[in-house]
Amino acid sequence: MRRHDSPAHALDHRPASRHAAAELDSALREAGIRVPLARHCAEPQPGRVELGPLSPGEASRLTQLVRTGTKRTLKAARALRDIVDAYRLDLPGIQVRDGRIALGSASPATAERLARLLGATPPGPETLAATPLDADRVGERLRLAFAAATGGDALDGRVQEAETAPGVEPVLALGSIDVATARRLVAALRF
């Protein structure tokens, strides 16, 4: 029997699940939303909190609360998408995920353009003549330019391993950033 299948392990999560369920119930009630916990939540599954059915009105109020709570993040992501589109950078993966702004992935050419827009000095003629661009070098240039432009914030900018098959252009995974970093990035791209 694996540890997470054992009854002792299941008991480890009950207090956390009950506490999380109580906190969620309290927050929703404060917002005027009455969402019953699922019937079996009195004895919750390990590490889970389940809600019962919602009325359409409760679902609408819950949706509004979530959107209000994520308004700043959604606004920052929209501003970032707008400026990326204005520069015609191919970064279609910008979206809000888990309270952060996921930047998606970029080709080395797009990452190089972004690095230059953020103030990276142009690479030498031998780098520009290379086809395809060295994704690792471009990723490093982008990380350095990003940090300089945003006041030291970090960007992933690593080559996705699954995409490095022969004949396939590598792709740089850009990771995610918080709202404050996104705002600094937008400001850096505007000026």
Side-chain angles (χ1 to χ4, degrees):
M1 182 182 286
R2 295 178 303 196
R3 174 171 159 41
H4 67 273
D5 290 338
S6 70
H9 182 70
L11 293 175
D12 293 345
H13 290 288
R14 282 188 186 155
S17 296
R18 282 191 188 129
H19 177 72
E23 288 292 312
L24 178 60
D25 183 56
S26 174
L28 291 172
R29 285 182 187 277
E30 288 168 4
I33 300 172
R34 305 277 187 247
V35 181
L37 296 178
R39 186 177 305 157
H40 61 277
C41 248
E43 292 297 324
Q45 294 178 8
R48 295 188 55 96
V49 174
E50 294 185 29
L51 302 177
L54 294 166
S55 72
E58 290 166 334
S60 294
R61 286 195 302 280
L62 184 56
T63 300
Q64 183 180 16
L65 279 174
V66 169
R67 287 199 174 130
T68 299
T70 59
K71 187 176 187 175
R72 288 182 36 212
T73 309
L74 293 170
K75 185 176 178 181
R78 191 175 315 113
L80 186 54
R81 276 192 298 272
D82 288 348
I83 199 151
V84 161
D85 289 347
Y87 280 112
R88 292 191 171 101
L89 292 170
D90 186 21
L91 293 173
I94 297 174
Q95 59 185 290
V96 175
R97 224 184 273 149
D98 296 328
R100 295 177 59 82
I101 300 169
L103 300 175
S105 57
S107 68
T110 297
E112 177 61 35
R113 281 195 58 221
L114 180 58
R116 286 191 201 179
L117 288 169
L118 293 174
T121 56
E126 69 285 347
T127 302
L128 290 175
T131 305
L133 290 171
D134 181 339
D136 288 318
R137 282 188 185 168
V138 171
E140 182 60 24
R141 288 172 42 74
L142 179 57
R143 281 190 296 275
L144 292 172
F146 185 89
T150 61
D153 294 313
L155 179 72
D156 194 354
R158 63 179 164 73
V159 176
Q160 289 179 341
E161 295 304 321
E163 303 296 329
T164 58
V168 175
E169 182 180 35
V171 176
L172 294 164
L174 301 181
S176 65
I177 56 178
D178 61 25
V179 172
T181 302
R183 287 180 178 162
R184 287 191 290 276
L185 178 57
V186 168
L189 289 170
R190 280 195 181 131
F191 302 105

